[in-house]
Amino acid sequence: MHNETIANLSQGLANGEYSSVELTQYFLDRIKRLDARYNSFITITEETAIAQAKAADAMRASGNARSFTGVPIAHKDIFCTNGIKTSCGSKMLDNFIAPYDATVVDNFNNHGAILLGKLNMDEFAMGSSNETSFYGPVKNPWDTGCVPGGSSGGSAAAVAARLVPGATGTDTGGSIRQPASMCGISGLKPTYGRVSRWGMIAFASSLDQAGPLARTAEDCAYMLNVMAGFDDKDSTSLDKDVPDYTGQLNNSLEGLRIGLPKEFFSADLDTEIAASIQAAISEYQKLGATIKEISLPHSGLSVPAYYVIAPAECSSNLSRFDGVRFGYRCQSPESLEDLYKRTRSEGFGPEVKRRILIGTYALSSGYYDAYYLKAQKLRRLIRDDFVNAFDSVDVILGPTSPSTAFPLGEKTSDPISMYLADIFTISTNLAGLPAMAIPCGPVNGKPVGMHLIGNYFDEARLLNIAHQYQQVTGWHQQTPDGIE
Ligand code: GLN
């Protein structure tokens, strides 16, 4: 059962091949038996899952089942889950039981989906390797000596190891797509404003966006159908019709115009990754697409712009963790200042502290114009490059990550090299565009992901383009060695 897609499991439940209780117990047993190898779960919600599965079976018996009724999933531990620990991968929230559900969580609950547990992640979603988690690193199922990517590393590893058929993630600079790419699965970051951020613990509010990670584009479409939509609790959520994302998967790609940014295919690109991407381009040509070289002249500035804007927003968002209202509090504070200082020194890990310091500096008077304002201007130029490009192409294609999964510990002492792991993904967050990573072949036994960037609110087309590729290739069906 663990090799079935969400689409098939949904069908199997509808056909009465198994009950949701059976399916749920099957995945819970698998997680308990195998996850010690990967460390992808922070919390397993067994009781909740079984209770939800019974309710889902009853929902089906009464004729009210929906596409996700009875299908198990897991949430990145950044989404608030009512009555369930919500740690955000941090000691700061190790004792935090959320008092409400995030809108994304609510949407899955309303469909009758089953929550198997909460997934490991980089602390407060800051990282590209899942090594900044308070709960220890996640191991890549393709090679447990390597990172799964980050920050949604637990989500990607759990899906790749077939511990759960689909998982939620969040993407501020690449955190859905980069781990999806490194774990050989499919992941989608929707347009900013497509999915509600309410109840999703904020890192950088103008960049954060939730999305699905699953084995196929079709499964991502199933998940996005549940996740997307207007939410009046999130002021940046857009009131715009939600199409049926599974409805356009089979559209023909005849005449599709694919843009290849010359900046993404420079001489520095790893030759084997480049060859995998070129092979994917050829598949698209066979499917009727035309290829055009384009330019995104400011894309080289996206990493520096991001590493001013994201830390600035994080320094503001994380000021709420002060030991007063919720979360960690230091022992026997001597004064209010001592309470703040020691709570934050003891509760946050080194990468989070680094970001808070950078952000506070960039926003401080006298430096604001030089750093934050300048970075916002670059952001506009980066966005304008995409707007120009979409005048002449329908989708932009390139690599997701400059390397395949790297060894644990390789980049932990060099933040800049870690930051560069997102060099191809960050510009889309700055522009607010939707983008997808899907597997396009292994290099030396490790997955490679291609990156598809769409125009605003063009998720249905991205899913269609990804799905068509998955109809004619088998990379998404590859299973890591040793996954029984
Ligand atoms: N790796 C990037 C960072 O550390 C992106 C993280 C994310 O998308 N949440 O900021």
Side-chain angles (χ1 to χ4, degrees), residues 76 125-128 150-151 170-175 203 306-307 355 422:
K76 183 175 182 179
M126 298 172 199
S128 304
S151 65
T170 61
D171 192 311
T172 303
S175 279
F203 161 13
Y306 173 90
Y307 278 98
R355 306 280 179 111
D422 291 316

Side-chain angles (χ1 to χ4, degrees), residues 26 44 128 171 198 223 237 273 341 354:
Y26 177 84
I44 302 171
S128 304
D171 192 311
W198 198 77
M223 291 183 71
S237 149
I273 292 181
K341 271 193 189 157
R354 181 179 297 121

Side-chain angles (χ1 to χ4, degrees), residues 305-349:
Y306 173 90
Y307 278 98
V308 172
I309 294 168
E313 294 185 16
C314 117
S315 73
S316 161
N317 275 324
L318 271 58
S319 64
R320 61 173 64 95
F321 302 105
D322 55 7
V324 175
R325 287 154 297 183
F326 49 80
Y328 179 76
R329 176 182 292 177
C330 69
Q331 293 287 310
S332 339
E334 282 162 14
S335 63
L336 186 60
E337 198 177 324
D338 185 44
L339 168 76
Y340 291 155
K341 271 193 189 157
R342 281 204 290 122
T343 294
R344 289 168 68 80
S345 311
E346 294 164 18
F348 289 134

Side-chain angles (χ1 to χ4, degrees), residues 76 78 122 124-129 150-152 170-178 203 208 306-307 310-311 351 355 418-419 421-422 425-426 429:
K76 183 175 182 179
I78 198 168
D122 277 301
F124 284 100
M126 298 172 199
S128 304
S129 66
S151 65
S152 311
T170 61
D171 192 311
T172 303
S175 279
I176 289 175
R177 295 159 286 159
Q178 187 253 17
F203 161 13
D208 300 340
Y306 173 90
Y307 278 98
E351 184 60 30
R355 306 280 179 111
M418 189 71 91
Y419 297 170
D422 291 316
T425 50
I426 275 179
N429 298 77

Side-chain angles (χ1 to χ4, degrees), residues 198-209:
W198 198 77
M200 194 175 105
I201 296 170
F203 161 13
S205 307
S206 76
L207 301 160
D208 300 340
Q209 184 63 197

